[in-house]
Amino acid sequence: MTAHLFSIAVLLLVGSVASAQSASPPPAEQTGAAARANIDALGRGDAAIIRKPTSAGVIGSPYVDNRWLLARLTLSTKLPLAPVPLKYDVLNQRLLMRPLNRAADSLQLDDRAVTRFELAEPVAGTTTTRQRVFRRFEEAPVPNQRTDYVEVLHEGRYALLKRYVKVLRKAGNTGAYNTGEQYDRVEDKNVYYLRRPDASLLPVKLNVKALQAAVPELATALKQSAAAQTAKTDVDWVAVLDAIDPK
């Protein structure tokens, strides 16, 4: 992405917070066109330059999804916001948005007040979208990961969470150990977690044997599930868990 990034501050309005947290519907100034104005207000800030790569280029992507996907943000203030095009930059741990009034710009969101966001992902070959839910990793076993986002792949009695991890491998074209590699590489090191009903959290691999060990209560259902025997992708495993562990 070559556009300038702008650092922005989340709009914190005491009166709006009080209204939003009450049981009554949000006032008119917080919906419709006014809600879009709130999003536009998030885009005010100082310019910051994106550093260019020092290699011939980059293989891989820093984003969960390279597309600008329409997202609905939830703030700790409960201030309602209109949907906005968003990208989750995992490598740099930031949310990027395109303001509604400046579609050519990319803005970095100061997300300290964001508790979750939902990406509307188009389903190939249809006119529908799949809602992908991301929230803070509040139960993370490592304290400094609790402000990270995890994707909630499945939630029933058990929850399957995906923590996205990206690692940048710099091109080896300098120094005494030059490998001749001309490109930087962004590698995926994602980690899956299973949260049990007692709130305990287990890292888990997505295969039948590992899931049976992590969830003995579902071991028989997993063994009998034909879909589990052939599951490969996240979508496949979500379908399996939705079937044997409904909400």
Side-chain angles (χ1 to χ4, degrees):
M1 179 174 52
T2 59
H4 285 178
L5 288 172
F6 296 83
S7 60
I8 62 178
V10 172
L11 189 61
L12 300 176
L13 299 177
V14 176
S16 296
V17 172
S19 298
Q21 290 179 334
S22 67
S24 58
E29 65 270 16
Q30 293 184 18
T31 59
R36 290 188 175 276
N38 285 340
I39 281 290
D40 292 341
L42 298 180
R44 302 187 184 115
D46 299 324
I49 305 299
I50 299 178
R51 298 183 182 277
K52 294 183 177 180
T54 55
S55 67
V58 179
I59 296 175
S61 170
Y63 306 113
V64 161
D65 195 300
N66 288 329
R67 299 168 293 182
W68 289 104
L69 299 179
L70 203 62
R72 190 173 295 276
L73 301 169
T74 299
L75 303 182
S76 58
T77 62
K78 307 303 181 184
L79 183 69
L81 298 172
V84 62
L86 194 79
K87 284 185 182 182
Y88 176 22
D89 180 351
V90 178
L91 182 64
N92 298 294
Q93 285 297 298
R94 60 188 179 180
L95 297 180
L96 304 180
M97 58 176 276
R98 288 171 63 179
L100 300 169
N101 61 344
R102 297 200 306 276
D105 290 335
S106 298
L107 310 179
Q108 181 175 337
L109 180 66
D110 182 347
D111 66 340
R112 286 173 291 181
V114 175
T115 59
R116 62 184 273 156
F117 60 93
E118 297 179 36
L119 297 178
E121 179 185 54
V123 177
T126 74
T127 58
T128 62
T129 59
R130 177 172 72 96
Q131 296 302 312
R132 299 177 61 182
V133 177
F134 293 78
R135 64 164 174 81
R136 298 291 187 176
F137 194 16
E138 296 175 347
E139 64 272 77
V142 181
N144 65 8
Q145 294 178 0
R146 291 173 187 167
T147 56
D148 293 353
Y149 295 105
V150 287
E151 184 174 8
V152 182
L153 296 178
H154 164 78
E155 194 155 28
R157 291 185 61 236
Y158 301 86
L160 181 63
L161 310 175
K162 182 176 183 179
R163 178 173 176 261
Y164 288 85
V165 181
K166 303 271 188 176
V167 177
L168 178 63
R169 303 296 184 193
K170 300 293 290 183
N173 54 6
T174 60
Y177 299 99
N178 187 346
T179 64
E181 175 61 68
Q182 299 295 311
Y183 294 88
D184 293 342
R185 293 180 180 271
V186 177
E187 299 177 355
D188 294 323
K189 301 291 183 180
N190 304 326
V191 182
Y192 296 90
Y193 292 90
L194 194 75
R195 193 189 69 221
R196 298 174 57 84
D198 62 3
S200 60
L201 197 70
L202 297 171
V204 66
K205 295 185 182 298
L206 292 189
N207 60 62
V208 172
K209 185 177 181 180
L211 286 171
Q212 285 178 320
V215 195
E217 300 90 338
L218 299 179
T220 300
L222 284 165
K223 182 178 180 179
Q224 294 175 348
S225 169
Q229 312 309 314
T230 58
K232 300 292 184 183
T233 67
D234 289 357
V235 173
D236 294 339
W237 281 110
V238 167
V240 170
L241 292 173
D242 284 351
I244 66 175
D245 179 42
K247 293 183 180 181

